[in-house]
């Protein structure tokens, strides 16, 4: 049984800055994201240096996506039946082991392209369990009234790591692959230590019997909520078509004629924009018409993608990626807040697992799609087509999901009305 933290004993919970549980949650998000971003830069540059193939970059994304796709229903049920902190800690230790294997293979000279795909799949499997466990922890760490604010700050934790991680990964890889992989391993180990010590305001979820209905309950819940379904699917297709991240090694090396340090800066630019956007949303939450704000963010995301695809100047490319990141964070915060505020805690793990699948599909499968189309048409044309497709998806979804377009609050209307009455 979990002992409630001191914060739980008070009816007037402390601010997020004084919440010990949120501090540790924030720390593990930063460290895990930092390690993963460094590892992504190292893997991307390593595989491209070995193969000189954009398609090979896409295969790295596919290798990470397939375990997530196959394990979605399993990981959600695990997150709702077992201690989510322990799940996250074990997954981060597995990712630490993968990073150490990368380092050892580099030192020994036996790290080949097929082995990189295998290790990428192992990391993908671990993150398949880690993502819903971490995402569904937050409602047990902070009071419900602070969730939108905490979500924005949690997003900023990811974006802070996404700024530092790629730049640091590129810098370390410029020194040598082994230091880059070793730094990843240390960060994953530190994240695992913090995950296991997060104090919770509530007891862990009860272990419900495993039935076919319970396994699919996350999907059934999302299908019954058009606002959540619209938000998840909009983000999925927008990033699936508009994601240019997988092709950054091609742009850095062949179009902008730069090296691994520039690659790290390009990856950091997106996160820098996202960090600025998440800090803005933390101070000025989306209290009115969050659905329209999400659609606007996706359209700007598509326009910034097109600007990046047209650029041959690294400064312009960095600016376009920063705008892309700032617009994308609007979608992230709205989607995450809708899931956490409109989902019962007993099914939050399963719904978060489906949410993670949507994110993984848009990111990892999007990387495969980008690599595939770049192999057919070239990197620049693939990015331009993807940006245009993103804008089209946003306009189409405004007609297909009017409930999302017209939603006036992140919480359900009846929940908001009850809270106002009380």
């Amino acid at each position: 049984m979990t002992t409630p933290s001191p914060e739980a004993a008070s009816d007037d919970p402390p601010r997020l800055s004084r919440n010990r549980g949120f501090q540790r949650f924030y720390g593990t998000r930063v460290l895990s994201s930092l390690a993963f971003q460094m590892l992504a830069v190292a893997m991307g540059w390593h595989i491209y240096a070995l193969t000189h193939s954009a398609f090979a970059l896409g295969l790295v994304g596919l290798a990470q996506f397939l375990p997530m796709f196959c394990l979605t229903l399993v990981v959600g049920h695990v997150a709702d039946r077992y201690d989510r902190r322990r799940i996250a800690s074990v997954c981060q230790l597995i990712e630490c082991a993968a990073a150490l294997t990368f380092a050892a293979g580099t030192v020994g000279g036996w790290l080949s392209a097929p082995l990189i795909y295998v290790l990428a799949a192992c990391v993908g499997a671990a993150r398949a369990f880690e993502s819903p466990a971490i995402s569904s922890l937050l409602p047990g760490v902070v009071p419900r009234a602070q969730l939108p604010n905490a979500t924005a700050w949690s997003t900023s934790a990811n974006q802070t790591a996404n700024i530092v991680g790629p730049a640091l990964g590129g810098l370390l890889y410029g020194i040598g692959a082994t230091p880059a992989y070793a730094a990843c391993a240390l960060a994953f180990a530190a994240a695992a230590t913090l995950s296991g010590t997060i104090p919770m305001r509530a007891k862990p979820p009860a272990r419900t019997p495993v039935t076919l209905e319970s396994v699919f309950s996350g999907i059934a819940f999302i299908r019954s909520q058009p606002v959540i379904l619209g938000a998840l699917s909009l983000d999925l297709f927008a990033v699936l078509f508009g994601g240019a991240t997988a092709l950054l090694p091609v742009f850095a090396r062949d179009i902008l004629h730069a090296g691994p340090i520039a690659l790290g800066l390009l990856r950091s630019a997106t996160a820098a924009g996202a960090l600025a956007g998440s800090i803005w949303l933390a101070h000025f939450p989306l209290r009115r018409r969050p659905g329209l704000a999400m659609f606007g963010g996706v359209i700007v995301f598509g326009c910034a993608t097109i600007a990046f695809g047209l650029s041959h100047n690294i400064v312009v490319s960095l600016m376009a990626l920063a705008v892309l990141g700032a617009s994308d964070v609007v979608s992230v915060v709205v989607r995450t807040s809708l899931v956490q505020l409109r989902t019962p805690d007993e099914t939050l793990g399963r719904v978060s697992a489906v949410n993670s699948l949507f994110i993984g599909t848009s990111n990892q499968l999007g990387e495969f799609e980008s690599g595939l189309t770049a192999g057919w048409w070239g990197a620049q044309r693939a990015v331009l087509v993807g940006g245009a497709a993103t804008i089209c998806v946003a306009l189409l979804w405004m007609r297909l999901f009017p409930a999302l377009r017209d939603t006036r609050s992140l919480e359900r209307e009846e929940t908001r009305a009850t809270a106002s009455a009380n």
Side-chain angles (χ1 to χ4, degrees):
M1 179 178 295
T2 301
T3 302
S5 64
E7 293 92 335
S10 173
D11 292 332
D12 183 20
R15 296 172 60 88
L16 290 176
S17 60
R18 300 196 301 271
N19 187 317
R20 184 162 56 94
F22 184 74
Q23 290 171 356
R24 296 187 182 182
F25 175 88
Y26 191 95
T28 194
R29 288 297 297 266
V30 169
L31 288 167
S32 181
S33 297
L34 178 75
F36 181 72
Q37 291 300 325
M38 288 194 295
L39 188 59
V41 169
M43 283 194 301
W45 194 267
H46 206 143
I47 195 71
Y48 194 64
L50 286 175
T51 65
H52 302 285
S53 168
F55 182 69
L57 288 170
L59 287 178
V60 174
L62 181 63
Q64 294 179 74
F65 165 74
L66 287 177
M68 182 178 297
F69 177 78
C70 296
L71 294 170
T72 297
L73 298 178
V74 176
V75 302
H77 220 288
V78 168
D80 283 333
R81 284 174 57 84
Y82 299 98
D83 191 328
R84 293 161 180 167
R85 297 168 298 177
R86 187 172 300 176
I87 295 169
S89 185
V90 169
C91 291
Q92 289 157 351
L93 289 175
I94 292 172
E95 291 162 333
C96 174
L100 289 174
T101 305
F102 271 112
T106 303
V107 172
W110 43 265
L111 189 64
S112 61
L115 183 57
I116 291 177
Y117 300 143
V118 171
L119 290 173
C122 292
V123 172
R127 291 189 73 79
F129 282 91
E130 179 188 355
S131 294
I134 286 288
S135 298
S136 52
L137 266 178
L138 193 55
V141 174
V142 301
R144 185 178 183 86
Q146 294 181 346
L147 265 177
N149 193 26
T151 299
W153 281 115
S154 175
T155 302
S156 77
N158 273 339
Q159 303 309 333
T160 301
N162 291 350
I163 295 170
V164 178
L168 183 58
L171 178 64
L172 290 174
Y173 198 93
I175 299 171
T178 303
Y181 291 130
C184 294
L186 287 174
F188 276 130
T193 302
L194 276 179
S195 294
T197 60
I198 297 174
M200 302 293 291
R201 294 174 54 85
K203 296 179 180 180
R207 297 188 181 184
T208 57
V210 179
T211 64
L212 191 62
E213 181 181 0
S214 67
V215 168
F216 285 93
S217 61
I219 296 175
F221 178 82
I222 290 173
R223 288 185 61 187
S224 70
Q225 302 292 320
V227 172
I228 295 179
L229 178 60
L232 294 183
S233 56
L234 172 63
D235 189 74
L236 185 156
F237 286 106
V239 180
L240 177 64
F241 292 127
T245 305
L247 300 178
L248 290 183
V250 181
F251 276 83
R253 183 166 178 165
D254 298 338
I255 296 173
L256 300 173
H257 306 292
I261 294 178
L263 171 61
L265 291 175
L266 288 172
R267 294 187 69 102
S268 295
T270 305
L275 176 61
S278 59
I279 292 176
W280 174 270
L281 291 175
H283 288 96
F284 304 98
L286 295 171
R287 302 188 186 279
R288 296 182 180 179
R289 308 304 293 268
L292 275 182
M294 184 176 187
F295 282 114
V298 172
I299 291 173
V300 174
F301 179 91
C303 293
T305 300
I306 292 173
F308 173 75
L310 292 171
S311 172
H312 288 266
N313 181 283
I314 191 167
V315 175
V316 175
S317 297
L318 290 171
M319 292 175 63
L321 289 174
V323 173
L324 185 152
S327 57
D328 182 53
V329 81
V330 176
S331 175
V332 171
V333 170
V334 171
R335 184 194 68 236
T336 305
S337 297
L338 285 172
V339 168
Q340 291 179 339
L341 287 170
R342 299 191 178 209
T343 306
D345 186 65
E346 59 270 17
T347 60
L348 184 56
R350 278 160 282 185
V351 173
S352 295
V354 179
N355 181 29
S356 297
L357 175 63
F358 276 65
I359 297 170
T361 299
S362 59
N363 290 332
Q364 276 75 49
L365 194 57
E367 291 181 8
F368 176 69
E369 180 270 338
S370 296
L372 187 62
T373 54
W376 290 341
W377 305 329
Q380 285 187 291
R381 187 175 298 178
V383 169
L384 292 175
V385 171
T390 299
I391 297 172
C392 292
V393 165
L395 296 175
L396 178 61
W397 254 238
M398 290 183 74
R399 293 183 62 86
L400 293 178
F401 293 93
L404 174 61
R405 182 193 65 211
D406 299 333
T407 187
R408 298 181 179 276
S409 171
L410 292 170
E411 292 194 83
R412 293 183 183 182
E413 296 297 329
E414 58 269 25
T415 303
R416 188 183 182 191
T418 302
S420 299
N422 294 333

